[in-house]
Amino acid sequence: MQVEDVDGIPTHVFRLRRAEGGEGMEERLRASSGDDGEGSLAAAAAPPPLLMVVPGSPGMAHFYVPFARRVFQQMQRQSDESDDHHHNGDGMALGPGYEVCVVSHAGHSPGVIRPGAGPATSSSTHAQLSSASNDGMCSSSTSSGACDGRLGDEGKEEEDLRADLPPVDPALSLLMAEALSLSVQHNNQPETERLSNDVNIDNTDAADADSSCPDRDWYNLREQVEHKLAYLREHAHVCTDPESPHTGVCQHRRMRTIYLLGHSIGCYVILKMLEELESSGSDSDRHLYRKIAKVFFIYPVLEWMAETPKGRMLHPFFSTLRAPATFLVWLLSLLPQGLKEFLLGTLVFRSVPKPHLEHVTRAVTNIDSRSIHNILSMAEEELRVVREPPLSVIAKHIRKLEMYYKEGDKWTLDSSYRRMADSFPNAAESISMCRLEGVIHSFVIESSDEMADFVCSRLRCVHVNN
C-alpha cells in the first residue's frame, strides 16, 4: 500500500505489477516485438493492460488487498502460461500481464489527511503527503518497486498496513460540533423542502450543490469522479522506451488497454467517469474512452439507494448519528492496536477466512475520526443523490458494460435487476444475475477469492473475444 498524490489529494493506492526481479516490462515488450530495443520499434508492442478498481463505501483500498492480489496472480499465471505456448508456437501471448490497482476514495484514507483538510484546504495536501511518507508510507516519487505492492515486496506492503493511527486530534470537538450541526439542520428542514432537495433526476445537481458549499470539509461524489479521472489519465499511458530506466527520459509512450471494475457506489462513480470522457472536448479524453475495453459492475448501486433495505436502516446512522459515531471511533482509537484487532477478529469477523482476516481487521482498526466523518458524510449524500436510474447514460455505454446483480442484495431493490434487463432487452449479455453461492454485497470481507476468480474468468473471455 502506498500514498500517492492524486489530483493534489494524498490517497492510499494498492498497486500490483510485475516485480523488478522477474523479466521486466521493457524486455517483454522487446521480445514480443522481435526487436533489439533500438529506435522506436519497442513502442510497437502492446503495453500491459490496466485493471483499475473503484471501491464501494467505505472507499478504502485496504479492504480490497486480497481481492486485487488474487486477480493479479491469476492473470499473471495465465499470461505466463500463454507466453510459454506462444514461444512454442502453440498460441498467442497475452502480453506482459495485467497491472491491477485499487484507488481509495478521496478523504477516506486514514491517517493521511489531517482534520480541517478537505476541498477548501486542498493546497496543504502536498505537505501532508510528504509528512505521511516520512512516517513510513511511500510517496508517489518512490523510484523502485519497493513500495507499490509488487510481488516480492509483500513485507514492505504489510508494514505499510501496520501504520499506527495518528495522535489524538485536538480539533475533534470542533469536528463533532460541525457534524452534529449539519445533522440537526437536515432533520429540522421542513419535509417538503427535504424532499425537493432529495429528488434528483440526472444525479448531478445535488452533488454540484454540495460542492458550492464553502463550509463543506469532505469530498462529495462529483469530486470522487474527478479524483478517479485524474488517476486514470495519469496512469493510462505507459513508457515503452527500454532505455528510460537508465536515462530517466521517456521517448515512447503508449496508451494501454483499460479495464474498469466498480463495486457498489463505485459503479456510480465509473458511470459518471464514462459520461465525462465520452462527452469531453479533449481528444485525449475521447481516446482514453475508446481504450476502455470493458467495465465490470459488481453489485451496482445506481438507483433509489435510500429506498433499499440497507438504506432505510442506516440512514439515521449516516445523518443524525454521524457525530456520535465519529466520537466512538476516536474512543476506540485509544485502545492498543493489538487489542482492537483481537476484539474485531473474535467478535465481529469470526467468519472471515484467516488469510484475509489480517487485512480486514487492520482496515477497520486504522479508520480514524477524520476518515469516518468523510465516509459517513459521503454515504449520507449517496442516499440523497442516487435516486432515478440513469438509463439514458447506461444506454450510451452499454456495449462496454457487464453488470452483475445479486438476488437478495440489501443495497438494491428487488426490481432493480429486472428494470435494467427490461430496459435493455438487446443487451442480455451485459446485465446478469451473479450466481456465486454465498458471495454477498460486501464480498471483500469473506469472499474475495471467489469473486476474484469470477472476474478473471470474465477478463479471459473479453480478451479472447477481442
Side-chain angles (χ1 to χ4, degrees):
M1 191 74 62
Q2 68 186 55
V3 178
E4 292 193 22
D5 184 342
V6 181
D7 201 24
I9 304 167
T11 305
H12 275 132
V13 177
F14 183 71
R15 186 151 51 102
L16 288 162
R17 52 186 176 180
R18 179 174 288 275
E20 294 286 346
E23 187 181 11
M25 183 183 75
E26 293 81 7
E27 286 72 17
R28 291 171 62 88
L29 289 170
R30 190 184 307 160
S32 62
S33 64
D35 184 53
D36 59 2
E38 295 182 358
S40 62
L41 292 179
L50 171 67
L51 173 64
M52 176 178 167
V53 179
V54 179
S57 186
M60 298 167 58
H62 303 69
F63 285 108
Y64 293 79
V65 168
F67 169 78
R69 182 180 289 127
R70 176 84 170 189
V71 170
F72 176 81
Q73 291 172 338
Q74 293 280 63
M75 297 310 296
Q76 196 63 59
R77 186 178 301 113
Q78 179 78 8
S79 175
D80 292 340
E81 292 173 357
S82 180
D83 278 353
D84 291 340
H85 289 303
H86 175 65
H87 295 320
N88 293 330
D90 297 331
M92 180 181 295
L94 281 173
Y98 280 71
E99 179 175 327
V100 180
C101 69
V102 186
V103 184
S104 297
H105 288 320
H108 291 203
S109 297
V112 299
I113 297 185
R114 292 193 298 269
T121 56
S122 59
S123 61
S124 64
T125 54
H126 292 282
Q128 295 168 32
L129 177 61
S130 175
S131 175
S133 301
N134 293 335
D135 288 340
M137 301 182 187
C138 298
S139 69
S140 57
S141 60
T142 304
S143 57
S144 69
C147 293
D148 59 6
R150 303 176 188 178
L151 292 183
D153 289 322
E154 292 185 9
K156 179 61 180 176
E157 167 201 319
E158 298 298 329
E159 181 179 322
D160 290 336
L161 290 177
R162 291 184 176 89
D164 291 330
L165 284 167
V168 175
D169 172 17
L172 181 67
S173 58
L174 179 61
L175 170 64
M176 288 181 57
E178 179 184 4
L180 184 58
S181 173
L182 291 173
S183 300
V184 170
Q185 288 174 17
H186 178 77
N187 290 332
N188 287 342
Q189 267 187 307
E191 185 67 20
T192 54
E193 184 178 346
R194 279 215 305 263
L195 290 174
S196 65
N197 288 340
D198 286 350
V199 174
N200 186 329
I201 299 303
D202 100 313
N203 294 348
T204 302
D205 296 338
D208 290 342
D210 276 330
S211 66
S212 65
C213 176
D215 297 328
R216 183 174 51 80
D217 59 351
W218 50 275
Y219 297 93
N220 65 14
L221 287 169
R222 176 70 252 168
E223 288 158 336
Q224 300 296 349
V225 173
E226 294 300 329
H227 179 255
K228 304 307 176 296
L229 279 173
Y231 184 91
L232 184 59
R233 289 176 179 126
E234 181 178 352
H235 292 271
H237 294 84
V238 173
C239 181
T240 57
D241 184 355
E243 300 302 320
S244 62
H246 310 292
T247 64
V249 178
C250 181
Q251 298 181 351
H252 310 294
R253 292 176 63 83
R254 290 193 62 187
M255 186 175 288
R256 52 173 140 189
T257 300
I258 305 294
Y259 298 89
L260 301 177
L261 186 146
H263 173 218
S264 190
I265 195 64
C267 303
Y268 172 92
V269 173
I270 289 180
L271 198 59
K272 288 294 184 180
M273 293 168 62
L274 295 176
E275 188 177 13
E276 184 156 330
L277 290 173
E278 191 267 341
S279 61
S280 173
S282 164
D283 291 340
S284 177
D285 276 358
R286 291 196 297 270
H287 182 45
L288 176 56
Y289 176 81
R290 291 191 295 270
K291 294 296 290 185
I292 298 175
K294 187 62 69 175
V295 178
F296 302 97
F297 283 176
I298 306 299
Y299 305 159
V301 174
L302 299 173
E303 58 172 295
W304 305 115
M305 187 176 178
E307 305 303 319
T308 64
K310 286 287 189 180
R312 289 179 179 275
M313 181 179 71
L314 293 176
H315 182 264
F317 180 72
F318 294 155
S319 54
T320 307
L321 300 179
R322 189 164 66 216
T326 302
F327 181 65
L328 178 60
V329 168
W330 176 76
L331 289 178
L332 291 175
S333 71
L334 302 180
L335 296 177
Q337 184 75 2
L339 178 58
K340 289 186 292 185
E341 293 179 7
F342 172 78
L343 292 174
L344 285 170
T346 56
L347 300 179
V348 182
F349 299 122
R350 288 178 296 179
S351 59
V352 177
K354 285 189 176 180
H356 302 167
L357 181 61
E358 187 176 19
H359 294 286
V360 173
T361 55
R362 283 185 179 151
V364 174
T365 57
N366 280 340
I367 295 178
D368 55 24
S369 58
R370 184 70 215 168
S371 57
I372 195 65
H373 169 67
N374 293 343
I375 290 167
L376 296 180
S377 297
M378 193 180 90
E380 197 271 338
E381 185 206 22
E382 293 167 18
L383 296 179
R384 291 187 289 108
V385 171
V386 182
R387 297 184 65 84
E388 200 74 29
L391 298 179
S392 61
V393 179
I394 292 174
K396 294 179 183 178
H397 315 291
I398 190 66
R399 293 186 178 182
K400 292 183 181 289
L401 301 180
E402 286 192 13
M403 305 169 64
Y404 295 97
Y405 286 86
K406 181 67 175 179
E407 187 175 1
D409 187 352
K410 302 302 183 183
W411 279 112
T412 59
L413 298 176
D414 293 338
S415 58
S416 294
Y417 165 71
R418 181 46 51 197
R419 179 176 13 259
M420 287 296 173
D422 291 345
S423 298
F424 304 100
N426 297 325
E429 71 282 356
S430 298
I431 304 169
S432 306
M433 188 68 74
C434 182
R435 304 298 180 185
L436 293 176
E437 188 68 28
V439 181
I440 61 175
H441 188 92
S442 55
F443 69 87
V444 293
I445 303 296
E446 299 182 13
S447 308
S448 290
D449 287 353
E450 293 84 347
M451 184 58 75
D453 291 345
F454 172 74
V455 169
C456 288
S457 70
R458 296 307 309 150
L459 281 169
R460 294 186 190 104
C461 288
V462 170
H463 178 82
V464 170
N465 292 335
N466 289 343

